[in-house]
Amino acid sequence: MKTSGALLVLLCCCLAETQLRGETIGENDITHQVQYDEAETRENEIMGAAQRTEAAATASTQQTCQPDIYTVLREMTALMAEQRVELRCTQTQIEALETRLRASERTVEEQRAVIKELKEKQEEQAAVVRAVGGSVNLTGSQVEELRREREESRVSFSASLVASGGGTTGPFKTAFPLVYKHIFTNIGNAYNPYTGVFTAPVRGVYHFYFALHGHGHASIPNVISLHKNGELVVTAWCHQPRSSVNPSNGASLLLEVGDVVNLILKENARVWDNLSYPHTTFSGHLLFTV
């Protein structure tokens, strides 16, 4: 209504101006002008209402979208935080794998060094084997001789005086070779249990030991001597009027092949032995060849 009133006032002003200019306006023209102005006014009101509606809708849309944007931002922030945590975990795992990889590389290098060392040792041994194999070309006779020498170098014996019962041997008016009949061991068969003589099968150093048991007597001693090739070497001697005696002695001798060693009971002396409790013994063995 205020708008219509304003239009009428404007129209009156226009009519007054026209009259002043001496112009004449018809009733139809006035009516047409009024209708035009009213239509324009109505159109402007419709456009204004439309604009206000659009503005309200835009404001409502902005108000509606604004909270959604905040929600999206919060979700993105949380997602980024999770991604950072996962990234740190992944970096930690990568560092651990790199550490294990470096350790594995060190282990591989150490193993390669060990393998290289073993190969070098193997090559050295192979060279030694080739050198030995090239120099060793034995014939059948040489092999047999080596075997014989090995067998001859295994010499050892031990025996006691009597083979049964027990009792005293001696005294005799002359020196008496003793035969030790009860054999404990006789490797190499260098000792003869029928003669009591040891014969050296190879040149070398031999060690001999002998011990005896006897009973004291005022005029009869207990004496045994070790002889090499008939010559006296050492003696085990004891003479006392009563009680038992147990002298012993021994020696290491360099013997040539065929040298002989034996024990001899001195004249007017005696010894005692018993198979159940052997006391009077004779032993010898090869220490090394020369």
Side-chain angles (χ1 to χ4, degrees):
M1 294 300 294
K2 292 180 179 181
T3 304
S4 299
L7 290 175
L8 288 176
V9 172
L10 181 61
L11 182 58
C12 290
C13 292
C14 291
L15 289 174
E17 184 179 359
T18 301
Q19 289 178 359
L20 289 175
R21 293 178 178 176
E23 295 179 357
T24 304
I25 299 175
E27 182 179 357
N28 292 333
D29 292 333
I30 293 171
T31 303
H32 180 73
Q33 184 67 33
V34 170
Q35 291 176 353
Y36 177 77
D37 291 339
E38 290 178 354
E40 185 176 2
T41 299
R42 193 177 298 109
E43 183 178 357
N44 289 333
E45 290 177 352
I46 291 170
M47 291 180 63
Q51 290 176 356
R52 286 192 298 273
T53 302
E54 184 178 359
T58 301
S60 176
T61 302
Q62 289 178 352
Q63 292 176 355
T64 304
C65 293
Q66 190 172 6
D68 294 336
I69 291 173
Y70 290 151
T71 302
V72 171
L73 289 175
R74 284 195 298 272
E75 293 177 354
M76 291 182 66
T77 302
L79 181 60
M80 290 177 65
E82 293 177 358
Q83 293 295 327
R84 289 193 186 96
V85 173
E86 292 181 358
L87 180 60
R88 285 196 294 270
C89 293
T90 303
Q91 288 177 346
T92 303
Q93 293 176 354
I94 290 173
E95 291 175 356
L97 289 174
E98 289 178 348
T99 302
R100 292 173 59 185
L101 180 60
R102 286 193 293 269
S104 299
E105 290 176 351
R106 287 195 298 271
T107 303
V108 170
E109 291 298 328
E110 292 175 356
Q111 291 177 350
R112 288 176 179 172
V114 172
I115 291 173
K116 183 179 179 181
E117 184 178 357
L118 291 175
K119 286 183 177 179
E120 291 176 354
K121 289 183 179 179
Q122 184 179 14
E123 290 176 356
E124 292 177 359
Q125 292 174 353
V128 171
V129 170
R130 287 193 296 270
V132 173
S135 62
V136 176
N137 187 16
L138 300 177
T139 63
S141 59
Q142 289 173 324
V143 171
E144 180 62 25
E145 184 174 354
L146 287 173
R147 185 192 65 78
R148 182 182 58 79
E149 290 179 356
R150 179 175 177 274
E151 292 296 328
E152 289 178 348
S153 66
R154 300 169 63 184
V155 179
S156 180
F157 80 95
S158 184
S160 62
L161 187 59
V162 298
S164 62
T168 300
T169 301
F172 302 104
K173 293 182 180 181
T174 59
F176 181 79
L178 294 174
V179 179
Y180 289 76
K181 299 178 181 179
H182 181 63
I183 306 299
F184 299 121
T185 183
N186 191 15
I187 298 174
N189 294 317
Y191 174 75
N192 189 333
Y194 300 101
T195 62
V197 176
F198 173 85
T199 304
V202 294
R203 186 174 188 270
V205 176
Y206 298 78
H207 181 74
F208 298 93
Y209 174 82
F210 61 99
L212 62 94
H213 179 78
H215 301 290
H217 192 277
S219 59
I220 301 176
N222 299 278
V223 185
I224 292 179
S225 300
L226 177 71
H227 292 251
K228 169 190 173 184
N229 296 331
E231 296 182 358
L232 175 65
V233 180
V234 292
T235 299
W237 185 308
C238 186
H239 186 191
Q240 62 186 35
R242 64 181 61 87
S243 301
S244 298
V245 295
N246 294 282
S248 62
N249 211 333
S252 294
L253 303 176
L254 173 61
L255 302 181
E256 302 293 337
V257 176
D259 285 349
V260 296
V261 175
N262 66 324
L263 294 179
I264 295 179
L265 178 66
K266 183 177 172 47
E267 67 276 7
N268 299 318
R270 66 180 184 177
V271 294
W272 184 89
D273 193 26
N274 189 313
L275 182 61
S276 299
Y277 302 96
H279 290 83
T280 303
T281 60
F282 181 29
S283 301
H285 56 273
L286 174 64
L287 296 178
F288 51 86
T289 59
V290 177

